[in-house]
Amino acid sequence: MADIALDRPAAASREGASAWSRLRTSRGWLGLWFMAPAALILLLFLAFPLVKGIWLSFTDTRIGRGGAFVGLENYEWLWDDSVFWLSVFNTLLYTAIASVAKFGIGLYLALLLNKRLPFKALIRSIVLIPFVVPTVLSALAFWWIFDSQFSIISWSLRHLGLLDHNIDFLGDPTWARTCVIFANIWRGVPFIAITLLAGLQTVSPSLYEAATIDGATPWQNFRHITFPLLTPIIAVVMTFSVLFTFTDFQLIWAMTRGGPVNATHLMATLSYQRGILSGSLGEGAAIATAMVPFLMLAIMISWFGLQNRKWQSG
Amino acid sequence: MAGLEIRNVQKSFGTTPILHGVSIDIQDGEFVILVGPSGCGKSTLLRMIAGLENITAGEIRIGSRVVNAVPPKERDIAMVFQNYALYPHMTVRDNMAFSLKLRKAPKDETATRVNRAAAILGLEKLLDRYPRQLSGGQRQRVAMGRAIVRDPQVFLFDEPLSNLDAKLRVAMRAEIKELHQRLRTTTVYVTHDQIEAMTMADKIVVMHDGNVEQIGAPLELYDRPDNMFVAGFIGSPAMNFLKGQVTGNSFRTDGGLTLPLPTRGARPAEGQRAVYGLRPEHVRLAEGGVPVEVAVVEPTGSETLVLVRPPGEAAGTDLVKDLGRDMACVFRERIAARPGERIAITADPNLVHLFDPESGRRLS
Ligand SMILES: Nc1ncnc2c1ncn2[C@@H]1O[C@H](COP(=O)(O)OP(=O)(O)OP(=O)(O)O)[C@@H](O)[C@H]1O
Ligand SMILES: [Mg+2]
């Protein structure tokens, strides 16, 4: 769109200039030069591992032993592997519940923090704490909270007389799933809340005033003003959230290592277990590669479904 | 439609008082303009009428109903904001239809009303555009359309033209005035542009530091300002204020100019200190008048602005507020005088004013 203006210096020097000086002065080429370092880094550190991983998934490489190309054999194995399918199910469940809950709670918190509150700055920093604590550390804390013998929850409930035995939080499949999802929500909410808060603060207060005068109730203000204006940022933040949740590894590994009986194994943890711990790099790579279509789908949905709005400039 | 009554309204933000008891009566169908310098509380008052700020003390009535505790949406007012506050994610049509949609008005009624407002404002071709695709003037018109569609009891405008360029402002000024003549909806309009106020208002309310200084028709304020603030605020270029005292049949300024006393009102006492108010456009060239020294000549084509000072005096000696400025005169004639030359002037005694130097109130 601005190309017309930007191209002018190049056009001026077109006649009688050598190819090199044209390369040096053309705005288009200049852009390419500036992009090159970043592109190179991206290629080296992002594309290469990805391609390498996908390549590995077509081999029977084991740790310490180079492998041969085996075609789709790893995938055929996985196709018949009930643990793999369980991990797919777990991942989808984990991602769906955690993302929806994180969105709901995050949005609620953001709306709350956007109001005039006493000690606003303090409350905002408190909200950020779960995000600041290293994941492994918080996972350990959760592990302790949900421990079968020393769980503070069981202890409190027992002392209140509501319970006569300890709950085996991480030993029971349903409880274990609930606990890891809870931990993920706890950890993910601040990111969403703070990002949405930033989005909320870009909405001009006079829009709410105009809507109020037009007769909008607080709910209608949210429904017709806040929410639509927030959709672009919701799209971005939820895409990230879904991607991070889908590929989550640390929390699970620190809390349950995929147990009990694979009930909390996600694709990422299963891939690590098969690929690194059991040494079947090829199979691990295949599991990891199997995540790619899901992630692509998530990106597509947000890209086409939410991000481009006619009313936005640019 | 309805009138509006503002009774001794006060407003404080926290402990800071902003409005100190404002009373204004607005008749049904009247176009009232609030003017005053920046920060005097115009927007605050308007927002209190709209219900966006609560009322610390006093009473606001719309029609006969006290609205102090009535939420904005039930006040039946429409407001046009300085930044227009158009909903960026809605088309022009949806922007205008929004209030009706919230009221769950029937679809065909909504369409009729939106189309009628669009026709009045010449927005028919823009109905499917988004606000970002409109020019400033078009946005302004959409904001007005949004208000018109509501068919409210009272229109409130907060400096609706201040974001437009000078030419467009003049055009929109006429458009708003015409619109008011057509709809006859009671209107309260805030501006700090006194030309806007003079040209559009049925009644002007001059505010200063949270007080009403004077309320009156535009020419009334121009002809008979109650105090020096109003006198200086209304009229452009601003009125000259000259310090001095009453001496015999004339007024002698501290700089040594002798000017005629006003013919209106009671004759002030001999020797009384006063401030002489003289509008630049009421200064005449006169053979045998008061000699003054020309400091600056600024021809504008239709008239000539000349800054003068008492001969041999420094700039601004006579003036009350030492603005470092000379006395301004506006002449219809073209003046050939150069800086440093002398001209003879006089003032029309029917058009000059005397003010009390302490209180600033009008004498007589
Ligand atoms: N929310 C607020 N909290 C504290 N003080 C405020 C608030 N809003 C306005 N004020 C103060 O109230 C005074 C009047 O403000 P207001 O916006 O009414 O001025 P105005 O006459 O509209 O000026 P302008 O011509 O610049 O728009 C100002 O001194 C301002 O600082
Ligand atoms: Mg204002």
Side-chain angles (χ1 to χ4, degrees):
Chain A
M1 111 210 107
D3 293 356
I4 312 154
L6 293 180
D7 263 343
R8 216 164 281 149
S13 62
R14 196 151 289 156
E15 321 97 36
S18 72
W20 169 240
S21 76
R22 218 181 307 158
L23 272 194
R24 265 189 354 197
T25 51
S26 152
R27 292 262 182 163
W29 279 98
L30 200 65
L32 218 61
W33 289 124
F34 278 123
M35 263 163 51
L40 213 66
I41 290 172
L42 286 177
L43 220 62
L44 204 64
F45 294 106
L46 292 178
F48 175 72
L50 183 67
V51 172
K52 177 81 181 175
I54 293 174
W55 166 250
L56 272 178
S57 73
F58 294 115
T59 69
D60 61 356
T61 313
R62 297 188 60 81
I63 287 181
R65 173 174 73 74
F69 182 79
V70 295
L72 290 173
E73 197 176 294
N74 285 325
Y75 293 97
E76 281 160 16
W77 265 104
L78 289 180
W79 190 260
D80 295 323
D81 181 352
S82 63
V83 176
F84 168 72
W85 285 113
L86 180 65
S87 79
V88 171
F89 169 78
N90 286 340
T91 311
L92 290 175
L93 185 80
Y94 184 77
T95 308
I97 297 183
S99 298
V100 169
K102 277 189 279 192
F103 173 64
I105 300 171
L107 183 59
Y108 177 76
L109 269 180
L111 290 170
L112 211 64
L113 290 178
N114 198 34
K115 288 222 167 20
R116 272 186 216 160
L117 282 180
F119 310 113
K120 190 141 90 177
L122 184 71
I123 297 175
R124 278 186 196 174
S125 16
I126 290 175
V127 167
L128 268 178
I129 286 179
F131 193 54
V132 175
V133 178
T135 312
V136 175
L137 204 62
S138 48
L140 283 175
F142 273 112
W143 185 42
W144 194 239
I145 289 171
F146 295 134
D147 187 85
S148 58
Q149 283 171 43
F150 306 110
S151 164
I152 187 168
I153 302 174
S154 298
W155 184 87
S156 315
L157 291 176
R158 271 183 33 205
H159 275 252
L160 288 171
L162 296 171
L163 215 64
D164 55 3
H165 61 279
N166 277 356
I167 302 173
D168 190 2
F169 283 108
L170 299 180
D172 173 77
T174 312
W175 271 119
R177 279 178 182 155
T178 314
C179 292
V180 291
I181 290 175
F182 178 84
N184 180 279
I185 294 170
W186 179 83
R187 187 172 158 68
V189 157
F191 169 65
I192 295 179
I194 295 297
T195 315
L196 292 185
L197 179 61
L200 282 177
Q201 287 175 338
T202 64
V203 179
S204 156
S206 61
L207 291 184
Y208 296 122
E209 294 181 341
T212 305
I213 291 179
D214 271 347
T217 57
W219 161 249
Q220 286 169 325
N221 251 320
F222 173 78
R223 161 85 185 66
H224 295 291
I225 309 291
T226 315
F227 193 77
L229 289 178
L230 220 50
T231 43
I233 204 151
I234 289 177
V236 173
V237 78
M238 285 319 291
T239 307
F240 275 103
S241 173
V242 166
L243 296 190
F244 287 144
T245 314
F246 197 91
T247 56
D248 196 12
F249 172 82
Q250 289 186 65
L251 261 180
I252 303 285
W253 199 253
M255 282 174 71
T256 64
R257 311 224 156 193
V261 255
N262 302 325
T264 59
H265 245 318
L266 302 185
M267 292 168 86
T269 51
L270 189 68
S271 161
Y272 178 75
Q273 194 187 46
R274 298 267 172 94
I276 308 294
L277 297 187
S278 315
S280 322
L281 274 180
E283 202 185 329
I287 298 175
T289 306
M291 295 164 78
V292 173
F294 291 102
L295 299 176
M296 293 297 260
L297 188 72
I299 293 175
M300 292 295 190
I301 289 175
S302 89
W303 184 261
F304 289 109
L306 291 164
Q307 219 167 358
N308 275 316
R309 295 268 159 179
K310 259 192 302 200
W311 51 269
Q312 282 182 290
S313 45
Chain B
M1 273 186 276
L4 190 67
E5 201 181 323
I6 298 164
R7 272 282 142 265
N8 201 22
V9 158
Q10 301 179 19
K11 175 74 186 174
S12 312
F13 286 110
T15 55
T16 321
I18 299 295
L19 295 178
H20 317 277
V22 170
S23 299
I24 306 169
D25 266 328
I26 297 167
Q27 306 301 316
D28 186 5
E30 219 170 10
F31 196 113
V32 170
I33 292 195
L34 306 181
V35 283
S38 191
C40 70
K42 308 179 294 289
S43 300
T44 305
L45 183 59
L46 201 71
R47 293 165 55 82
M48 287 163 84
I49 300 172
L52 297 173
E53 301 281 358
N54 48 28
I55 298 164
T56 309
E59 206 174 85
I60 294 181
R61 288 168 187 267
I62 298 177
S64 54
R65 184 168 64 139
V66 178
V67 294
N68 286 34
V70 177
K73 65 179 223 172
E74 284 158 33
R75 294 193 183 194
D76 204 6
I77 41 104
M79 182 154 168
V80 175
F81 292 81
Q82 180 173 355
N83 63 1
Y84 315 138
L86 299 181
Y87 311 122
H89 56 297
M90 296 183 200
T91 58
V92 168
R93 188 192 307 281
D94 293 340
N95 260 285
M96 298 212 282
F98 187 59
S99 60
L100 299 176
K101 182 176 157 190
L102 292 178
R103 248 189 262 166
K104 302 208 164 53
K107 282 231 160 54
D108 47 342
E109 188 201 325
T110 306
T112 321
R113 285 221 214 174
V114 169
N115 289 335
R116 197 171 53 211
I120 292 175
L121 295 165
L123 289 171
E124 296 104 322
K125 294 221 176 76
L126 307 176
L127 282 174
D128 292 311
R129 296 229 194 138
Y130 286 94
R132 70 172 179 91
Q133 300 165 316
L134 301 176
S135 73
Q138 291 166 338
R139 280 178 212 186
Q140 208 284 330
R141 243 174 281 161
V142 175
M144 293 207 305
R146 203 165 59 175
I148 294 174
V149 164
R150 303 260 316 270
D151 191 18
Q153 306 247 31
V154 180
F155 279 136
L156 305 175
F157 290 87
D158 193 354
E159 305 200 24
L161 305 185
S162 59
N163 288 344
L164 304 180
D165 67 50
K167 203 167 162 190
L168 196 53
R169 207 177 319 184
V170 174
M172 290 306 297
R173 210 155 74 192
E175 225 167 282
I176 293 178
K177 185 80 193 152
E178 197 184 292
L179 190 70
H180 177 253
Q181 258 143 23
R182 192 158 157 178
L183 302 176
R184 285 272 147 222
T185 306
T186 312
T187 303
V188 183
Y189 184 109
V190 165
T191 177
H192 55 230
D193 178 344
Q194 54 108 358
I195 301 202
E196 240 168 66
M198 293 298 284
T199 51
M200 297 170 76
D202 292 327
K203 191 153 94 182
I204 297 180
V205 178
V206 182
M207 293 180 62
H208 181 214
D209 278 349
N211 289 307
V212 171
E213 295 284 344
Q214 191 175 355
I215 302 179
L219 294 180
E220 219 172 286
L221 298 191
Y222 179 85
D223 291 338
R224 248 187 100 74
D226 272 355
N227 53 49
M228 283 172 61
F229 179 80
V230 177
F233 194 81
I234 301 289
S236 169
M239 185 185 279
N240 300 297
F241 293 118
L242 308 162
K243 286 179 293 186
Q245 63 186 357
V246 177
T247 326
N249 271 343
S250 43
F251 185 85
R252 198 165 164 77
T253 70
D254 294 348
L257 303 179
T258 305
L259 296 162
L261 282 177
T263 48
R264 294 180 297 187
R267 171 161 288 262
E270 170 73 22
Q272 184 178 354
R273 298 277 315 158
V275 173
Y276 193 85
L278 176 57
R279 293 198 185 276
E281 57 273 32
H282 295 156
V283 180
R284 305 269 156 77
L285 284 174
E287 297 276 321
V290 187
V292 287
E293 191 179 307
V294 172
V296 178
V297 181
E298 291 178 354
T300 61
S302 60
E303 48 195 28
T304 314
L305 175 72
V306 182
L307 299 183
V308 301
R309 61 181 66 148
E313 293 283 338
T317 3
D318 268 343
L319 299 166
V320 165
K321 287 174 199 146
D322 192 1
L323 303 172
R325 193 177 67 105
D326 296 283
M327 182 170 129
C329 315
V330 172
F331 300 111
R332 283 291 176 69
E333 316 72 334
R334 301 213 165 160
I335 305 284
R338 291 170 192 287
E341 287 180 9
R342 293 197 176 176
I343 56 175
I345 59 164
T346 184
D348 183 338
N350 293 315
L351 300 173
V352 299
H353 313 263
L354 279 186
F355 299 98
D356 184 280
E358 255 77 67
S359 66
R361 305 234 130 257
R362 174 185 202 83
L363 292 174
S364 77

